[in-house]
Amino acid sequence: MQQSLILLITIQEEELDKLKGLLSAIFSKDTGISIEQNLSKENEELLQITLKLHQTQLKSLLDELTQKGGLDYVPRDRTPSGRMFEHASDCRILLKHLQQTKKVAQLPDIKGIIYYVRVENDLIENLTTSSSVSTDLSSLEHVQAEDQDKNEQLKRVVLTVQRKFITLTLNSNGKADLYFHAYVWLHILLNNYLHANPKSNEQDFDQQIVNTSVEVKRLKGLVESIKKVEANLQKFPFNKEIYDRFVQEFGGRKQIKKLKLIEDIQRSLFVAQISDDKQTLYWIEKILIQLLGYHDMSMRDQAVILLNMLYDGIDWQLTQAFRPVVRVVGQHFKVNVIVNLDLNQKDNTNSQIFIGLSAPSPIESINKTILTWHKIDKRNIVSQKGIETEIMINFGKFWKCGFYDWRLVLVKETGRLQPLEIIGKPQPSFPSIKTGSQGYYDEEDDLGQIAQGRFIVHAKGIRDQIFHEVQVDFQNAEVDTKKGTFVKRGNFSNVESAIEQYKSKGITSLYLMGVLERDNYPQANKMTNEVEHRKPDSNPLAITCRQTANKMLGGDDGFQKVMTQAKKHKVKIIIDCLTRISSGRNHRKYRDLMLHQLDEEGRKKICYGTDGQAINYEDTAMLNYRKVESWNLLIEEVLNFTQTHGINGIHLDNGQAWPQIMETDLEELMRLDVDGEPAYTPEDVMNGEIVLRNENYGYWNTNTMEQYPNPFFIKMCKQIWEKVPDFMIIGECWGGFMFENRQIILSRSGIIPRLFKLPQAISSLFGKKLHKDGRVTNCERDNVLALKKWYESNRLFLPEGSILIQSSTAHQWPYPAYLYGKGTWAAVDILYFMPDIPITFNGEIDGEVYRIGTTQLFQHDQQETNKSGLKRTNSQLMMALQKKDENDDYIPQQTTSPEGKRGLPRVRSGSNLSAVVQEQNSGQDLKLKEDQFKSQIGPQQGFDLTKINSHYEHRRRLRREKMVLRYGELIPLVAKQDSGYGWHNHVLSFARYSLLETAIISTNLNDSDVTFYVDTTALQQLYKKSYHDNTVIMISDCLAPEQAPQYYFLREYLQMKHYQTLKPYHSSIQCLTICQDDNFVIKKALTQSIERTKNKLQNGENIESEQISAIFTEIIEKSPEDIIKFADIVGSLQENFLDKLGLSFNDLFINNHKLKNDPALASRLIALCIRIVEISDGQELPPVKAAKSVVDSNQLGPIIFCAPELGRWSTVGGLGVMVDELAYGLALLGQEVIVISPYYEKNRKGETGYLAKDPAGINYVGNITVTIGGATVLGVHEGVVNGVKVVFLHNRDIFPSAYPDLNPADMVRQLAVFGKGCLEYCCSQSIIPSVCVTNDWYTGLIPGYAKIGAFGDTFKGTTFFHIAHNLEATYEGRIFPAPNQGALESIHQLPRDWLVDPLWGTCIINPSRIAIMLSDQWGTVSPSYKIDLLNTSSLRGILALKEKPFAFPNGIPVEARLKKLDEAAPDHFAAKKIIQKKYFGYADLDDEVCLLSFVGRVTEQKGVHLILDAAETIIQKYNYRINILVGGMANIKEPYSADCAKKMWHLKTKYPNCFWADPNYFFTDGSIVNRGSDYGLMPSIFEPGGIVQHEFFVGSTPVIAYKTGGLKDSVFEFMWDSEQGNGYTFEAHKVNDFIFACDRAIGTFKNKNKYLKLRQNAFNSVMDGEKVSKAWLGEFYRLRNKVYVEKTIIEDALNKMKPWAPEIYKPISSFEEMFGIERKLNFALDDIDQGAEEEKEVLEEEKTSDGQKKKVVSHFEAQTRNEDRFPHVFMMHNNGPRHQRVELCGSMDEWLVRHPMNFDHFTNQWFITLHLKRGKYNYKYVVNDKNWVINEKEPKEKDLAGNVNNVLSL
C-alpha cells in the first residue's frame, strides 16, 4: 500500500542573497554553482529549493543554534567572527523543517515561489520510530486534497521521499545521515531533470547526468548504500526464535560452524543498529554476553569485538580497536593526524574527505550518542608532502562526558566510503606477553592502522578533586582500645556533621564505604517494637540490596541528609558498587541470577563471592554475569540510587576483575541423566549455571583484551553518562600476579583506575617491604630511582592523558605513620605532589598509627595469616593459592588457559568489622601503644604526628591553588651532589611542567640534612620548543611564600646549579613562572642577574649560566667571525661593569666553565682577543683592555719532566716510553718542554758513553753542584730532540745504571741528588717552570725540596704534578733502612713524616709518599687504575686528599709508528711470514696457524707464567698447529724470572716449531711482531696503563688481556653478533681462564670474515698520542687556572674573521640592546590546554573572621623553619658479645623518649644521628632494655642527684 503526502515549502526573494553563501560552502563543487555567477532561471529555482530544504530561514536557524548551544550541530573551527557551526549532513535539521512546512488543501496567497514535496508511505510493520529521537513524525500524516489542487501541486513536486527512509534515518542517530542526505539531493536533481525533460525517465537521467558528473555519481553510490541497508532489514533479522536456535547450536553437543554463526550475528547487528531495532539488539546482546563466557576462546574474542560494536553504535572497531586518548570536559577537542593520502593522485582527485564523529549530543538536555559527518575543507589540510597529508580538525572543546569516536574516510566517486590510514607505526598499547617487554611488535603487527580514534572524556574538574575515604561505621566512633570493640558506632548523621570540617580541610570528594544495605539481620523487638540488628558487625560489603542505603546507619533519609549537606558545601560523594551481593538474606530480585557450583559431594551450592584478604570467605555470593539481566540490573540499581540521592560517583570494588565470569563446569553441564537425556538445557550451558570455583574467565581470558576495551565498562559508562553526564566511575586496581596492567584496560574502558602500588613503592625507600596481606618486613633500602621506575612503568601503555587515583594506604594495610615513621611527612608530599589524584584513608590524616582490628596484622614479627579452607579442590588455581610469590603473598600456579596469563578475580577491598575483637592482643591497650610510637619518632624535632593534619591540609590547599600540581606533566629530574659528582640516591627530584608555570620539587628521604642541586637538563629541551632563551621568569618558593620572588632569564636559570639544603624528610618547591614581557620584569631580571654575576666573580664561582656571560659566549658559539659585535659587547662590559668592580675580562673568561672546558670555544675567544690586540697597536680602548687581559693571562710557561728513564736512552718499562712520547706530543702543540733524566754510566745494553754516539747531538755543556751532606758534581748534557730539550745529569757513582741494586743509604742519596739536581739545573738556566712533572717514586723528593725552601721562593709559583705510572706495593720505591739508620734524615734532609708513615709502625722510607703529599696534584695512566689506587693502594689516604686527580690512557704517535711498521714489513702477512721463518723454522707463510705473541719484560707483573703454563695444553689441543712467541729478557737473579727461563728453554726444545723464547736475548723485532702476530698476549697481573696493547693495535693486531688497570679501559671482548670489540679478555688470573680466552680467540681466527673485522676494530682502537697530549696539556692548563687552546683552531678562526678597526668600536648604550631581549613566544597563549578546572571559590569555612582567605601552615615546616637544629652523631662501641638492642635517652627529650640506635658491623659500633638545638644535654645509653650505661670515651659529669651521665655541649 502506498500513500502520498503533499507538503508546501516557500522561500522569500529577500532571503536569497543570504543563502547563496551557505550553499557554496556546503555543496558548491557538487552543483557547479558559484556565488559570483549569474544564475539561470532553472539553477535559481534549484538553489531556492535546495536551500529551503537544507536550512530554511537562515537567520532564525542561527538564532536557534546560538540559544540551544548548537542544536544538533557540532561546534567547529574558530573564525574571526566567532564559532562556525557546520555539519555536512544532519538529516534531523532537514526533516525537522520538512515536517514544519504547511500542509495545504489549496494554494495559499503568498508572495514568492511555491513548490511541493511528496512523501510516499510504504507501510512496513517491523519498523518503529525510536522513542529517543526528538523529531516527531506525527505531522507527516496523510492529507487528501481536492483534485484540482492536486494537479497543481503535482506540477510543482520537486522531491519525492519514501517514508521508510525517513524512519530509518531518524532511528539511526546519524548513522544514515550521509546516505539520506545524498538521497534527498539526488532526487531533487532527478525531479528537476524530469521537469526540464518531460519525455525523459530515470534511466535517461543516469546516462546523461549521473555517468557524466563525478559529483552526482558519488551521490548515486551513497543512495545505493541506504537502499541496501533498508533491504537488509528484512534479510538479516534476529528475534527470539533465531536466538533460541543459536543457543541450541552453541550450547549443544554437536560440532558446529561457529564462525558462520558469528558472521550471521555480525550482519544482524549491523542492520539492527542502523534501524535502532531494540528488540533485535536485545537478543543479540544476550547471545554475545553468553559467548563472552564460552569455553572456546576464539568465540570469546569475537564476543568482545561485537559487544564493543554493539555498545559503540558503530562498526569502526570491527577490524581494528581504537587507541583512546583521555580528556576532561572543557579541554580542546582537536583531531590531528597524518594520513596516507596523495591528493594529487588520479584516484583521489574526484574524492572527498569526511570525518565521522560519534559523540554525545551537544544539546544540553540530550546526552544520547549521535553520528555526524563533517566535510574536510582546504583549511583542514595542514600540510601535504607526497603521500603524507596532515589533517587537523578543531571541534572547539569537549562539551560533556562520554566517548568521542572519530574516523576519517574518503568518499570515492562511486560513493564507497574508504577509511584512510595513518602514516607510521603507532606506539604499542599493551605489553605483549608473547614477545616480552623489549619486542612489542610481530612482523606484521600494527601496519596500516586506520585513521580513527577515541577520546574518553571525563567530568569537568576531575583532576581538581582531593579524595578521602571514610568508612561510615568509624566516623566519630568510640572504641574500647583494650577490647577492640565498638562502644559507639558511626552513622550517616556523624558523616553529615563532619562534611563541613572535611571541606574546611581541603577535601572535595568523599568515598563513603559501607553506605549500602548489608546483612545486619534487622528484627523488631517484641517488647519495644524497635528494630534491632543482630549482626551489627556484618561485612560492609555483604550487600543485600544495591540501591538501598543502610538502615542501621540511618537509611535513605539519613543518607539524603548527607547528600544535602555535601551539596551545600560542594563536596562530591562516591559510594561502593559491587558485582557480588550478600550470601544471606539478599533481595529477591537476585534470586534467579545467583551463580552456582557443586561441592565435593556433588551438591549444588551458591558460588561464594571472594577469597579476598579482608572479608570472610562466605559473606558474599556471585551473580551470574553470563546473563544480560545481571548486567542490566547492576546498571539500573546504580542509576536508581543516583536518581534518588544524587550521588556523584561510584567506586567499583575490585574493578580490575569486572565482570567476574567463572569457567563453566562442562563436565557437569554436559552430564546425561540416567535416562540418557541431557541433565541441562543448552541455555543452561550458555548461561553457565554451574561453574568451576574461582577460575578467571570471560573477557579477562581473551586475546582481544590486549587491544579492546572491556565491553561491560563501555556499556556501564555510556548508560550512566547518558543519564548523569558528570558522573565519576572509579575502579579498584590492585595489580599483582595475573593482574598486571589492568589499569591500562580500565582506563581505556572509561573507568578511572584507583591504584594501590604507591605505598609499596614508598615503603621500599625506607627499607620496608609492604606485602599485599598487610605484613611489613625489612628489606634492602631502595633508592629514588626505584620510585621513578615504578612511576614510569605504572604509566607505560596507558592511554594518553589517563587519569589515575593513587591511594595512600588500603583497608588491610597499616597507616602511613606506621610504615614511614619520620618519613610520613615526606610520603605525604610525594602523594600530593605527583600527578595522580590522591586519596587518603580514614584516620591517617589525624596521625593515627594503629588501626582498630589490625594491631597484630602489622607487626614485623607477626606470623603468617591463616587462610580459609577452600571448598572445592579440583580448581588448580585455588590449590595454587597455597604457594607464595616473591612478596610472600598467595600466587596461583599456571592456569589451564592457553596462554597462562589470566588470573583469579581476587577481591581485596573492604574490611571485616567482626575481626575487631579477634585481632586484639589480650589486654593490650592500643591507645597506650600508639602514644608510645608517637613519642619515639621525635615530636620535639618537629615529627609530631598529633599535628600532621596541618601538613595534610597544607598540601591539599597547595595542590588546589597550584594548577601545575594537578595538570602539569611529570618530568623526572636528578638531585646531584654539591661536589658535582654522582647523584643523591635518596633525594627525589622531579618537575611538574606546564607552559606557563613549572614546579621543581625535591624531597629529602634521608634522616640528615642534604645539600644538592637539581639537574634541569630535561626541562631545557621542553622550554626550547616554546620560549626564547631571554624570556623572563619569576622564581618563587611555594613553601615559603613570604620570601620575595627572584627574576631570571630562562636560559640563565635552567643552566645554573641552584644549591639548596633540605632538612630530613622535608621538601622544596621552586615555582618557575613565565612573565609577560614588560619593562619592570626585564629591569628586575637584569638587575638581579648583574648582582649575582658580581658576587660569583668575587667568589671565583662558575658564571657560565649568567646572562652577562651568555651574551659573549653566544657570539663565540654561533658567529666567531663577527669581531665587530664581539668588540662592542666586551668593550661595553669592560667600561660599564668590569671597571667599576675592579675586575678584568679574563675573570669572566676563566670563571666561565663552558668556555674554559671546551678547547674549541676557548680557542675562538683567544683568536678574537689576539686580533683585537694586534690591530689596536697600543691604543687604550675598553675592548683592547678586555682582550689584552685574556691574551696576557693565558700564557703557559715551560713544562719540565723529571724521569728516571727516557726513550731510547734508558727506557726499562712503559714509563720511559710514555714520558718520551708525551713530551714530544706537547712540543708539537707548541709548548716549551724540557725533560731531565739521569745519564747512567751504563745503559740497558751495558754500554758506556752512549750519549756521545747518539745521532741527536746531545753534548756536554758544563757542571752543576748539589749539596747532599757534601758537594756532588753533576755533568750536564743537553740536546734538542723532536723539539724537546733533553737534559741528562751524569755522575758515575750516583747513577751507575737504571734502578741499580743499592744499599738504603746509597739509594736515598741517589734520589736526593737527582731531586736537587733537577731543581738546581733550572736555577742555573734561570728557568722557572710553569709545571714540573715528576714520574714515579724515583723523582719523589723533587716537590719536597721545592716546598721546603731549599731554593728559596724560586719555585713558589710552580705547579708540581706527580704521575704514578705504577703504584703497586713493590713499585712505590720503598727503602728499608737498618734500625740504627733511622729514616736517613742526615742524607735527604727532609722531615721524617714526609717520607715515613708514622702509622705503619716499621720505619719504611717511601718516596712515593712525599711525591703525592707535596705535589699540587697527581695523576695516572688510566681511569680504571686511578679508581683502583683510590680504593686499594696503601697510600689511598693521601691520594684521596687531592681533589679531582687526573687520569688518561697512554697512547702512541700513530703516524710515526705506522711508518716504523711499514719499514719492518709492508703488511700483516709479510710480517707473519718473517716471524714464522725466523723463529719457527717454516719454509713459507702458513696463515692457517695462529700466531700468539708476547713482547715485554719477563717479570711477575707481566704474568708470563700464565703463557708458559698454558703453552703445552694449547699446543697439543690444536694438534701442534699453533705458534707461541715470548720476546723478552729474563733477569736470572730474580727467582720468578729464573723459573720462567727454565720453562722457556723446556718448551722451545720440546716444541721448536710451536714455541719460541730466548730469556738471554734482548728482543729487537717488536715492530714485526706487532704487525705479524694474530694476537698479542698481555696476561699482566696488573697494568696501570699499558702501551703494549696500543703497539699491537696500531699493527691491527687484537689482544688477549687480563682485565686489570688500563687494560680494562682499552681491551674489550669481541662479540660475534654485534661485531664490536678489539680482542679477548679473562677475569680470573688463572691458567684455565687464560686458555678459555685463547680458545675463543682462535675460534674467531678460523672464521676469516669475523677475524678481519676484529683486526679492523683493533686498529680503530689505537689511542693516538696527539689526543693523549692534548688531554694532559688541558690538565696542566687547568691547574694553572688557565684555559687550554688549540693552535690550529686559533689559526682557522683568524683566517675567517671579519675586518675590524679600533675606530669602529661603538659602545652599547642599553642593556636591552646588549642582551637582545626577545619579546615573542613560540606559541599562542590560547593554545595552552591545561584542562578545564572547576572554579575555585573561597568557601566560608576557608575564610577568617575578617573575610580574608585563611592561611594554612604545615606545623612540621613551621617548627623546623623557626628552630635551627644541628646534626650530632652519638656512638657507643659494642664491647664483648653484640647487644640485642641499644637506645639513647636524655634531657633532649626530658628523659621520656628512647631512640633506637643502629649497629655498624664494620666498626662494631652503635650509632644514631639526632638534630638538636644549641645547648647542653645529658644522656645515657640503655642496653638490652634494662642496663643504663655511659660511654667512657665521651664527656661525662654528675648531675645534682649524683648520677653520672654523658654530656654534650652543642
Side-chain angles (χ1 to χ4, degrees), residues 554-565:
D556 286 330
D557 292 340
F559 184 72
Q560 192 57 49
K561 292 179 181 178
V562 171
M563 290 305 305
T564 301
Q565 185 76 348

Side-chain angles (χ1 to χ4, degrees), residues 402-554:
F403 297 91
Y404 293 67
D405 302 334
W406 60 271
R407 173 182 269 194
L408 281 166
V409 298
L410 194 67
V411 183
K412 308 291 283 186
E413 64 179 58
T414 60
R416 184 174 65 89
L417 270 62
Q418 174 185 315
L420 294 176
E421 294 181 353
I422 62 172
I423 292 286
K425 183 181 291 186
Q427 291 296 317
S429 60
F430 200 85
S432 173
I433 303 297
K434 301 174 185 175
T435 58
S437 60
Q438 299 303 317
Y440 298 125
Y441 294 102
D442 291 331
E443 189 70 23
E444 302 296 330
D445 280 353
D446 293 312
L447 298 177
Q449 289 284 319
I450 297 174
Q452 63 182 29
R454 162 173 284 173
F455 291 94
I456 302 173
V457 181
H458 289 284
K460 181 178 181 180
I462 180 65
R463 295 185 189 274
D464 303 326
Q465 299 305 311
I466 303 292
F467 287 89
H468 182 63
E469 180 175 349
V470 176
Q471 193 164 333
V472 178
D473 300 76
F474 286 92
Q475 181 65 54
N476 295 0
E478 296 179 12
V479 180
D480 187 324
T481 57
K482 289 186 178 180
K483 296 180 180 179
T485 57
F486 279 115
V487 175
K488 179 183 177 182
R489 183 186 303 274
N491 54 36
F492 291 147
S493 178
N494 299 129
V495 174
E496 177 192 356
S497 302
I499 284 178
E500 183 176 0
Q501 183 182 6
Y502 282 127
K503 185 57 185 277
S504 70
K505 291 182 177 181
I507 293 169
T508 61
S509 294
L510 285 176
Y511 161 37
L512 300 181
M513 183 192 172
V515 167
L516 299 176
E517 184 63 57
R518 63 185 86 147
D519 183 19
N520 294 128
Y521 201 170
Q523 193 172 37
N525 187 311
K526 295 181 180 179
M527 302 293 293
T528 63
N529 287 329
E530 293 182 357
V531 176
E532 296 178 347
H533 298 86
R534 294 190 177 185
K535 294 175 62 178
D537 289 334
S538 173
N539 189 323
L541 298 182
I543 306 302
T544 58
C545 180
R546 294 183 298 200
Q547 65 181 41
T548 304
N550 187 278
K551 292 182 171 56
M552 180 182 72
L553 302 180

Side-chain angles (χ1 to χ4, degrees), residues 889-1051:
D889 291 323
Y890 296 89
I891 289 198
Q893 294 174 338
Q894 186 170 353
T895 70
T896 56
S897 64
E899 296 183 7
K901 59 182 179 181
R902 311 298 174 230
L904 171 70
R906 299 173 62 189
V907 181
R908 298 187 179 279
S909 62
S911 69
N912 181 4
L913 303 187
S914 63
V916 170
V917 181
Q918 298 173 8
E919 294 186 358
Q920 298 303 310
N921 286 332
S922 178
Q924 184 180 31
D925 190 334
L926 196 62
K927 186 177 185 307
L928 177 60
K929 187 173 182 179
E930 180 145 332
D931 291 342
Q932 289 175 347
F933 184 96
K934 291 180 178 178
S935 65
Q936 289 177 352
I937 70 168
Q940 296 82 1
Q941 302 169 25
F943 301 102
D944 190 347
L945 285 172
T946 63
K947 298 179 180 177
I948 197 173
N949 55 358
S950 67
H951 194 70
Y952 276 97
E953 184 176 354
H954 181 269
R955 287 338 190 219
R956 290 191 210 103
R957 300 285 183 204
L958 192 61
R959 185 178 176 93
R960 184 166 172 80
E961 291 168 3
K962 288 290 181 184
M963 182 187 290
V964 72
L965 293 181
R966 305 189 306 281
Y967 293 94
E969 177 186 357
L970 187 142
I971 309 297
L973 302 175
V974 176
K976 294 194 172 180
Q977 298 184 29
D978 54 0
S979 62
Y981 292 101
W983 56 287
H984 279 288
N985 54 12
H986 287 103
V987 176
L988 177 66
S989 291
F990 57 91
R992 300 295 308 281
Y993 167 80
S994 70
L995 278 173
L996 291 183
E997 185 176 44
T998 295
I1000 299 175
I1001 302 166
S1002 298
T1003 300
N1004 180 13
L1005 297 169
N1006 296 278
D1007 59 0
S1008 58
D1009 290 1
V1010 172
T1011 300
F1012 62 94
Y1013 72 92
V1014 178
D1015 185 347
T1016 58
T1017 304
L1019 283 177
Q1020 294 178 35
Q1021 303 304 317
L1022 290 171
Y1023 273 113
K1024 279 184 178 179
K1025 298 176 182 177
S1026 303
Y1027 295 102
H1028 292 286
D1029 290 339
N1030 293 326
T1031 302
V1032 178
I1033 59 172
M1034 181 182 72
I1035 305 298
S1036 55
D1037 189 338
C1038 290
L1039 301 182
E1042 67 278 1
Q1043 295 183 6
Q1046 296 292 307
Y1047 292 86
Y1048 290 81
F1049 295 99
L1050 182 61
R1051 175 179 59 185

Side-chain angles (χ1 to χ4, degrees), residues 1558-1573:
D1558 188 345
N1560 297 328
Y1561 173 71
F1562 183 80
F1563 194 74
T1564 57
D1565 282 339
S1567 296
I1568 295 176
V1569 170
N1570 290 152
R1571 173 165 277 182
S1573 298

Side-chain angles (χ1 to χ4, degrees), residues 116 150-157 195:
Y116 297 92
K150 273 190 177 180
N151 293 330
E152 184 64 28
Q153 292 171 11
L154 292 174
K155 293 179 183 179
R156 292 287 187 175
V157 169
H195 276 286

